[in-house]
Amino acid sequence: MENTAIMNNSRKSSLLQIVPVMLCFFAMGFVDLIGTAKDYVQNDFNMSESLAGWLPSIVFFWFFVISVPTGILMNKIGRKKTVLISLIVTTLALIIPICGDSLALIIIGFCLLGIGNAIMQTSLNPLVSNLISNDKLASTLTFGQFIKAIASAITPLMVAWGATEAIPTFGHGWKGFMAIYAIISFLSIAVLAATPIKEEKPDKASGLVESIKLLGTPFVFLCFIGIFCHVGIDVGTNTYGKKILMDLQNLAPTNEAVVFTTILYFIFRLTGTFIGAFLLRLMSQKLFFFISVLMMIGAMVIFFSCSSVGAIYTGIALVGFGNSNIFAIVFSQALEAKPKERNEVSGLMIMGLVGGAAFSGVMGYAYDLFGGIGGAIAIISVGVLYLLFFTSKIRKVV
């Protein structure tokens, strides 16, 4: 009876720790408001398409700059405190744009949102490893991505409702919803700060050079490229998914079938993370990863060989589902490869998110170079083929 009570108390304590962390994953999804808000900012300030197109890149820039220094910071102050800093920055990022109507305030807010998210993604994922056993880490990170995806999915609705004043906008139009998100972010700070989490202390405090040198470890480098390709495939499909249907069916951007491709992609990405959180507890990471990559290979074959709306939808769905769990598996593999340097490795992996900007830029160039969507699809295919290669490198987690 006593042992049972101890186990129940342990499980209860673990649940009380996991819930605040999952609330932080929800706050992590706030960063996706930048992509949705782009059109509203462009309209408010009469910006050209070429200038407005740089707004989402603000996020990827900070991933590249902030991630590795954040890993070093975690060694000095701990993961929980670093996550708290990220939430504070995120809260400020959401408050500043509603303090006025100038473009400067919006840009500052977007920059802070990118900085806060880069810090959060670098510190929150390894913080989970303090609460979960190694064999359950990938599935838990996947569930965290599911929670994040919920925030990402509802953000476009929040922005649209704010623009039509269907929700309280506090006199700020489409920006009014930021006040609601700021409250949620502040709540995350309070709940996490009150949650006791025991962290292991690093054996040493690595510097910037020592952290970058970890890329010299072959498996860590392979994981870095894996994250790079995963995000590139995600951003590339999300950006050019509509373009595939537009080109192959000669449809306008406002066509309902074209608009639905983005919704379909988010639905299957959300579904994939939810199902993956459970399947990763039942099968090996290597098998699950292989099945996921096969789905994306099937999608590439469809994109190159089919042109019907139904077929394109099938391909979009396969990429959304197949790519949804790649991040969690690669990230957990990287952390397990260097268990004594998880903070530094986390920073390197999050730095790999710059792949979103890189793939998107190269896909645009390939589209113009080859005179059609085939060039852009070819770039996504390169990322998928790398993940197929990485499947053979996945290690058994014990």
Side-chain angles (χ1 to χ4, degrees):
M1 290 291 292
E2 183 177 353
N3 289 337
T4 301
I6 292 175
M7 288 178 63
N8 288 336
N9 289 335
S10 176
R11 289 173 182 171
K12 183 178 180 181
S13 174
S14 178
L15 180 62
L16 291 176
Q17 292 172 321
I18 286 294
V19 171
V21 169
M22 289 301 150
L23 185 58
C24 295
F25 271 104
F26 186 82
M28 186 189 292
F30 295 168
V31 73
D32 288 330
L33 72 86
I34 292 181
T36 304
K38 166 188 165 290
D39 292 334
Y40 293 94
V41 176
Q42 182 178 3
N43 181 66
D44 288 350
F45 297 96
N46 295 315
M47 300 171 67
S48 65
E49 183 64 38
S50 59
L51 181 59
W54 284 103
L55 289 175
S57 298
I58 293 174
V59 175
F60 296 110
F61 172 77
W62 292 113
F63 280 132
F64 184 75
V65 174
I66 296 294
S67 300
V68 173
T70 298
I72 298 171
L73 177 64
M74 282 192 289
N75 281 336
K76 297 181 179 180
I77 67 173
R79 296 165 184 169
K80 177 182 169 181
K81 290 181 180 178
T82 306
V83 174
L84 288 172
I85 290 175
S86 74
L87 289 168
I88 292 172
V89 175
T90 298
T91 304
L92 290 174
L94 294 165
I95 293 175
I96 288 176
I98 59 178
C99 290
D101 295 322
S102 72
L103 179 60
L105 288 177
I106 293 177
I107 296 298
I108 292 172
F110 283 5
C111 284
L112 288 176
L113 195 60
I115 292 171
N117 201 261
I119 297 173
M120 193 183 305
Q121 295 226 34
T122 304
S123 54
L124 185 57
N125 290 299
L127 181 63
V128 174
S129 68
N130 290 119
L131 307 175
I132 300 297
S133 60
N134 293 341
D135 60 326
K136 301 294 189 298
L137 181 58
S139 62
T140 305
L141 290 179
T142 289
F143 188 74
Q145 291 297 311
F146 168 70
I147 299 298
K148 174 181 178 291
I150 293 176
S152 300
I154 67 174
T155 293
L157 297 177
M158 294 290 286
V159 176
W161 288 342
T164 58
E165 298 190 0
I167 61 172
T169 60
F170 309 97
H172 296 289
W174 69 266
K175 295 186 294 182
F177 80 99
M178 291 186 179
I180 299 174
Y181 276 7
I183 293 172
I184 297 175
S185 185
F186 182 79
L187 178 63
S188 301
I189 296 172
V191 174
L192 182 63
T195 303
I197 298 178
K198 186 178 180 181
E199 302 180 41
E200 71 272 12
K201 294 183 178 180
D203 294 337
K204 60 179 181 178
S206 300
L208 182 62
V209 176
E210 289 82 358
S211 298
I212 296 296
K213 281 185 177 179
L214 286 173
L215 284 177
T217 304
F219 187 70
V220 172
F221 180 75
L222 291 176
C223 290
F224 173 82
I225 300 300
I227 295 291
F228 187 93
C229 290
H230 153 72
V231 180
I233 294 168
D234 179 48
V235 175
T237 304
N238 191 25
T239 303
Y240 282 86
K242 292 187 293 185
K243 194 71 173 175
I244 294 174
L245 198 58
M246 288 164 57
D247 278 25
L248 296 180
Q249 286 286 324
N250 194 27
L251 299 175
T254 55
N255 184 280
E256 290 183 1
V258 173
V259 174
F260 183 68
T261 57
T262 301
I263 300 174
L264 182 71
Y265 181 72
F266 275 112
I267 289 174
F268 275 87
R269 196 174 73 171
L270 187 66
T271 303
T273 53
F274 181 75
I275 295 177
F278 296 98
L279 290 183
L280 279 169
R281 292 175 178 261
L282 302 176
M283 65 174 63
S284 70
Q285 292 185 18
K286 191 168 189 174
L287 176 60
F288 189 84
F289 194 94
F290 180 61
I291 294 173
S292 297
V293 175
L294 284 183
M295 290 182 179
M296 289 188 281
I297 291 176
M300 297 304 109
V301 172
I302 290 173
F303 292 153
F304 276 118
S305 60
C306 302
S307 60
S308 69
V309 174
I312 300 305
Y313 280 170
T314 300
I316 294 292
L318 286 173
V319 177
F321 193 98
N323 201 37
S324 61
N325 299 286
I326 298 299
F327 175 85
I329 295 176
V330 177
F331 194 94
S332 63
Q333 286 277 315
L335 292 185
E336 291 308 308
K338 290 287 184 178
K340 293 183 179 180
E341 294 154 314
R342 288 186 171 186
N343 294 342
E344 296 89 336
V345 170
S346 177
L348 291 173
M349 293 304 108
I350 299 304
M351 188 173 70
L353 296 184
V354 74
F359 262 67
S360 181
V362 175
M363 286 175 69
Y365 176 77
Y367 183 95
D368 290 337
L369 181 64
F370 293 98
I373 195 63
I377 297 173
I379 301 302
I380 297 179
S381 300
V382 171
V384 174
L385 290 176
Y386 176 82
L387 293 179
L388 179 63
F389 159 76
F390 184 81
T391 304
S392 63
K393 305 297 179 180
I394 293 178
R395 302 171 178 179
K396 183 178 181 181
V397 178
V398 295

